[in-house]
Amino acid sequence: MRTSSSLLSSPSFTRALARRVCMIVGACCLVVGCCAFGQEYKEAPVDDSLAGQKDAVLAGGDAKEVKDFLRKYYLARWTVRANAQNLVKYRQELETDATARSGAPQQTFLKEAVDALKSYAGSKDCYPACRFNAALAIGSLNEAAGDRSGAGATPYAGAITTLAQMVNSTKEVPDYVRLAALIGLVRHAELGIKDEKMAGNVKSLFAKILDPKYAEERGIRPEIYDWFQEKALMGLASYKSPEGTKGGAGTLELFKRIVDDQDANYDLRCLAARAIGDMNLESLNSYNYLDLSKSLILLARDFCVDEMNYIDAELVRDVVKTAANQVGGGMGGMGGSGGMGGGMGGMDMMGGGLGGMSGGMGGGMSGTIQNAKSMEAVVARIQYGFDCIQRAIKGVKNGGTGVQAKLSDSDEAQAAMKETLGKALAEFDEMNTFIKEGPSTSGGMGMMDMSVGMGSSSANVNVDANSLKDHLLEKKIKFNELLGIDSY
């Protein structure tokens, strides 16, 4: 059988498109400094004669000398718009210099650097790229460096209050500055905040950001607010505890509400499921795990529908790209490798709104997606989404408990749900098998054979887009059956 969907009216497709457009426009604004709006920006005077004094000044640790060096040369360079292309290099230099020292000289350097960066991030006189990178740099400062990935680092605890103030300020602060500061706060939470009171305050702030009132009160654009929610959820998930800011099961209940929210994007809903799978639920016995189990199966059902719509979007774009190539169009502006950039573990399941069609190779509406990377992205989205839900059900070895383990065999309803969750897990496994082996009968359609990178593993893709869409419909029906829902 063949499936169809109302692509253009799909809320998830509309959200993905709006979000990708906003990302592109926002990135352009940060690079060019919003010059289109005629904003006049000021640049701090840079005293290049101080360039050779870095080692002596920073090793000496005199607060006034360090402050003058940073604000007259070292960090003053950031405010010069001609240096915008060097901001990443400047940030890396700052991070390296911060961990090259210890003791009092290091603490002086870190404190004065945060103070200067805070003034740049908060100044309307600085161009946007400078403000964004200044806020980002505050959250990336370490007292001790970790490995190449940043694991094992000791972040500068003195930056937490500044970052929290930026994120939570009731004053007029650009959302991109708030977001950069939030990224830093999440990093601190993931690496561990030693001060219990501070850790609790940051946890409360993450929960506050997940409340839509936060966006309304601070004027965060809806398409940008998705990113705030995802980052805040990641930060809250790093605590790996079901407890809310006032104890009980507040965090678990918050994550469940997100899983249940059909208006939320699937990045967020799947991230919430994944976070539940990472939680230690051993001490939480009085929670309604039956209802939570149903929520996870419903998420799997909804995810199938959303992915069918996404496949439709990819098929349409493939036709448009192919047609443009055939008439010599090229449509270079819609290049890209497809949408898995961001979200948990670097995977953005709602990505690819304007990307992924870097070279159609002929075909028309042939039932498959001609571009290999786009097809890989489709498969990776499905596998990642199902993996998040599976994680919530099974938990993590030597980590999260998982919902299935919290259901009692001695209770008839819970035992039945435990069996139902087992059947849902079997459906996830069968989907992976289908992707690797393909449909039992191809119906004359050309199969695709390509390698899809999934972390350190890979899988063969032997399905065309329409066959995959049909299989998702079968899964949707199966999940409805598991829930006792009589619906096509």
Side-chain angles (χ1 to χ4, degrees):
M1 60 184 168
R2 285 286 167 264
T3 61
S4 62
S5 59
S6 180
L7 169 64
L8 296 180
S9 61
S10 165
S12 59
F13 176 71
T14 303
R15 283 195 300 267
L17 183 62
R19 184 177 176 192
R20 188 64 68 177
V21 169
C22 184
M23 182 183 73
I24 294 171
V25 173
C28 290
C29 278
L30 291 178
V31 171
V32 304
C34 294
C35 58
F37 296 97
Q39 173 71 45
E40 291 293 332
Y41 299 108
K42 296 180 181 179
E43 301 175 350
V46 179
D47 185 354
D48 290 320
S49 68
L50 299 175
Q53 300 181 23
K54 182 173 76 171
D55 291 339
V57 171
L58 299 188
D62 181 83
K64 184 179 184 307
E65 290 184 359
V66 172
K67 180 177 181 178
D68 286 346
F69 175 74
L70 295 178
R71 292 178 181 255
K72 293 180 179 180
Y73 169 71
Y74 189 82
L75 294 177
R77 296 174 297 172
W78 295 38
T79 69
V80 179
R81 293 179 65 184
N83 290 336
Q85 62 184 356
N86 296 319
L87 286 173
V88 173
K89 182 178 72 175
Y90 290 161
R91 232 178 45 235
Q92 293 170 342
E93 180 185 15
L94 174 68
E95 293 164 9
T96 300
D97 287 337
T99 56
R101 289 153 189 84
S102 60
Q106 182 191 51
Q107 292 301 310
T108 299
F109 176 72
L110 288 168
K111 178 185 180 303
E112 295 299 335
V114 168
D115 287 348
L117 291 168
K118 178 183 177 181
S119 68
Y120 295 152
S123 174
K124 294 180 180 180
D125 291 333
C126 290
Y127 64 103
C130 174
R131 299 182 70 178
F132 176 79
N133 278 273
L136 205 60
I138 294 172
S140 68
L141 291 172
N142 294 322
E143 295 182 44
D147 58 25
R148 286 187 175 183
S149 67
T154 303
Y156 176 49
I160 296 176
T161 298
T162 296
L163 294 169
Q165 288 172 346
M166 286 185 185
V167 173
N168 200 33
S169 175
T170 56
K171 297 179 181 178
E172 185 179 344
V173 177
D175 46 24
Y176 61 82
V177 172
R178 292 185 194 270
L179 181 61
L182 177 58
I183 290 170
L185 273 185
V186 172
R187 177 175 179 270
H188 274 267
E190 290 177 337
L191 289 172
I193 299 174
K194 295 179 180 179
D195 185 283
E196 290 187 11
K197 183 177 180 181
M198 186 71 73
N201 291 339
V202 172
K203 184 177 183 179
S204 297
L205 180 53
F206 289 148
K208 182 177 184 177
I209 293 169
L210 287 167
D211 187 333
K213 290 181 180 178
Y214 168 84
E216 296 173 9
E217 293 170 354
R218 286 156 183 79
I220 308 297
R221 290 167 289 169
E223 61 271 25
I224 298 295
Y225 181 51
D226 282 350
W227 292 341
F228 277 82
Q229 289 182 301
E230 288 169 23
K231 291 299 180 184
L233 196 153
M234 290 169 64
L236 200 53
S238 69
Y239 290 80
K240 300 186 186 304
S241 169
E243 291 187 3
T245 54
K246 298 180 180 179
T251 299
L252 177 58
E253 188 60 30
L254 174 58
F255 287 170
K256 181 185 180 298
R257 286 201 300 271
I258 294 172
V259 167
D260 289 338
D261 186 359
Q262 293 185 323
D263 291 328
N265 72 59
Y266 282 87
D267 300 62
L268 198 66
R269 295 180 71 184
C270 288
L271 280 171
R274 192 175 188 86
I276 290 172
D278 289 336
M279 279 183 174
N280 181 1
L281 302 175
E282 289 293 343
S283 62
L284 188 64
N285 296 317
S286 59
Y287 192 75
N288 188 346
Y289 290 107
L290 272 174
D291 195 39
L292 178 56
S293 299
K294 293 177 183 177
S295 294
L296 294 172
I297 299 175
L298 281 168
L299 174 59
R301 189 275 310 274
D302 291 347
F303 182 70
C304 289
V305 176
D306 193 74
E307 288 308 293
M308 286 189 284
N309 288 337
Y310 183 81
I311 291 172
D312 277 344
E314 290 296 301
L315 286 168
V316 169
R317 288 193 301 171
D318 201 54
V319 172
V320 173
K321 180 65 178 179
T322 299
N325 284 343
Q326 289 173 348
V327 297
M331 290 181 68
M334 293 185 71
S337 60
M340 302 300 293
M344 185 75 82
M347 303 186 77
D348 183 357
M349 294 171 54
M350 295 302 295
L354 290 177
M357 306 309 297
S358 60
M361 296 184 291
M365 206 68 153
S366 61
T368 192
I369 296 170
Q370 302 296 325
N371 184 273
K373 288 188 178 295
S374 294
M375 192 64 190
E376 290 174 8
V378 169
V379 169
R381 284 165 55 94
I382 294 170
Q383 291 180 322
Y384 175 72
F386 280 168
D387 179 69
C388 288
I389 303 168
Q390 176 176 276
R391 195 182 188 100
I393 295 173
K394 293 177 63 177
V396 185
K397 186 177 181 180
N398 300 323
T401 310
V403 175
Q404 192 176 35
K406 298 299 295 182
L407 297 170
S408 173
D409 291 325
S410 61
D411 181 281
E412 184 176 352
Q414 292 187 37
M417 179 55 73
K418 196 171 185 178
E419 182 178 351
T420 298
L421 289 178
K423 293 178 180 178
L425 292 173
E427 293 300 319
F428 300 151
D429 290 339
E430 195 280 332
M431 173 59 83
N432 286 327
T433 300
F434 176 79
I435 288 170
K436 292 178 68 174
E437 299 180 359
S440 56
T441 58
S442 66
M445 291 181 292
M447 297 296 102
M448 300 191 71
D449 187 1
M450 62 191 81
S451 178
V452 179
M454 292 292 290
S456 59
S457 62
S458 64
N460 292 323
V461 179
N462 287 303
V463 290
D464 61 276
N466 273 337
S467 294
L468 188 55
K469 195 169 66 166
D470 286 345
H471 207 65
L472 285 166
L473 176 59
E474 292 175 13
K475 293 296 175 209
K476 172 202 168 186
I477 295 171
K478 182 63 178 180
F479 291 135
N480 275 340
E481 289 176 354
L482 292 178
L483 292 166
I485 299 173
D486 184 15
S487 172
Y488 180 77

